[in-house]
Amino acid sequence: DIVLTQSPGTLSLSPGERVSLSCRASQSVSGNYLAWYQHKPGQTPRLLILGASTRAPGIPDRFSGSGSGTDFTLTISRLEPEDFAVYYCQQYGRSPRTFGQGTKVEF
Amino acid sequence: EVQLVESGGGLGQPGGSLRLSCPASGFTFSNYAMHWVRQAPGKGLQYLSVISADGRTTNYADSVKDRFTISRDNSKNTLFLQMRSLRVEDTAVYYCVKSAHCSRVDCPDHFDYWGHGSLVTVSS
């Protein structure tokens, strides 16, 4: 199975700041089939990015994804209060699909 | 509107069994592969299993292979997860999840809709 390692585990930030979250794969993610999800308590996960860099419909342009192969990054250009959540990367190019352990962005 | 509503969770005994159901509506259920994902208390998301649109092909994470069985009834638009030989570490919220585009299990595809989850607690 492909192991995804996210770093850091937790980030303590303030609204307005720029943040970059890392996701590193144990082997190359085929086709750059890498997604990012945002998860808030009591809510279902929300798709942000697919294909490593394509924003999902309705996602604000302050969210961007980059990377290829084994190294991927989610960047939030300017944190809004509603962005404080846990962020997960997921590879869906090879079965079984796998998630990273998550990065918590907290105030 | 797409709706996925998990049920069947609750308290299970170590070594026992539980079956989760997920009736779906708002889309043509028989056209899409479906998945199960779980989240243990205080932990991250863990991918469990996928089933093809026609129900003939499945795939599992190693952690649940040989204990959990995914299935579907396309005549009733319902996804199932049969859990056997339950362990304390199976305690989690279990989510039913829809593939965005694909019908096959080997088709690379992200998720577009999630249910709100069903809590399974395994304890004696």
Side-chain angles (χ1 to χ4, degrees):
Chain A
D1 297 1
I2 296 178
V3 176
L4 299 179
T5 302
Q6 293 186 241
S7 60
T10 303
L11 279 168
S12 297
L13 298 165
S14 298
E17 291 194 78
R18 177 185 177 91
V19 58
S20 291
L21 312 181
S22 172
C23 175
R24 183 160 291 177
S26 59
Q27 53 189 284
S28 185
V29 176
S30 64
N32 288 333
Y33 292 120
L34 193 287
W36 289 92
Y37 294 86
Q38 177 193 68
H39 196 195
K40 298 179 182 179
Q43 298 185 18
T44 61
R46 176 193 185 195
L47 176 68
L48 300 175
I49 302 288
L50 58 143
S53 60
T54 301
R55 266 190 303 277
I59 300 303
D61 61 7
R62 65 180 181 273
F63 291 93
S64 63
S66 62
S68 64
T70 60
D71 288 296
F72 300 89
T73 301
L74 174 70
T75 300
I76 309 173
S77 60
R78 185 179 171 84
L79 275 171
E80 297 288 340
E82 62 266 28
D83 298 337
F84 291 93
V86 180
Y87 292 84
Y88 295 94
C89 58
Q90 184 212 20
Q91 68 81 21
Y92 53 96
R94 186 175 299 181
S95 290
R97 288 119 169 119
T98 48
F99 289 95
Q101 81 278 22
T103 291
K104 183 177 183 180
V105 176
E106 64 180 17
F107 179 67
Chain B
E1 179 193 3
V2 172
Q3 289 199 322
L4 302 168
V5 184
E6 302 90 342
S7 64
L11 180 63
Q13 301 276 338
S17 299
L18 281 174
R19 187 172 89 150
L20 302 181
S21 300
C22 176
S25 61
F27 64 103
T28 305
F29 182 73
S30 60
N31 285 353
Y32 295 93
M34 297 291 294
H35 310 258
W36 287 99
V37 174
R38 71 182 179 186
Q39 184 175 31
K43 303 292 185 181
L45 299 172
Q46 182 186 17
Y47 184 82
L48 297 180
S49 184
V50 58
I51 187 167
S52 60
D54 63 8
R56 295 180 180 179
T57 309
T58 60
N59 190 274
Y60 299 90
D62 286 344
S63 57
V64 300
K65 197 179 297 183
D66 301 327
R67 296 192 302 122
F68 289 10
T69 302
I70 189 172
S71 63
R72 64 194 295 161
D73 183 340
N74 285 346
S75 70
K76 297 181 178 178
N77 293 339
T78 302
L79 178 71
F80 301 99
L81 185 68
Q82 178 70 51
M83 303 184 290
R84 300 180 179 87
S85 302
L86 285 169
R87 303 169 180 168
V88 171
E89 55 265 34
D90 294 322
T91 295
V93 174
Y94 286 73
Y95 295 99
C96 165
V97 190
K98 174 185 171 293
S99 280
H101 305 293
C102 290
S103 61
R104 301 188 339 261
V105 301
D106 60 349
C107 172
D109 197 11
H110 59 281
F111 304 152
D112 60 355
Y113 289 96
W114 299 61
H116 283 274
S118 180
L119 176 62
V120 170
T121 302
V122 182
S123 174
S124 54

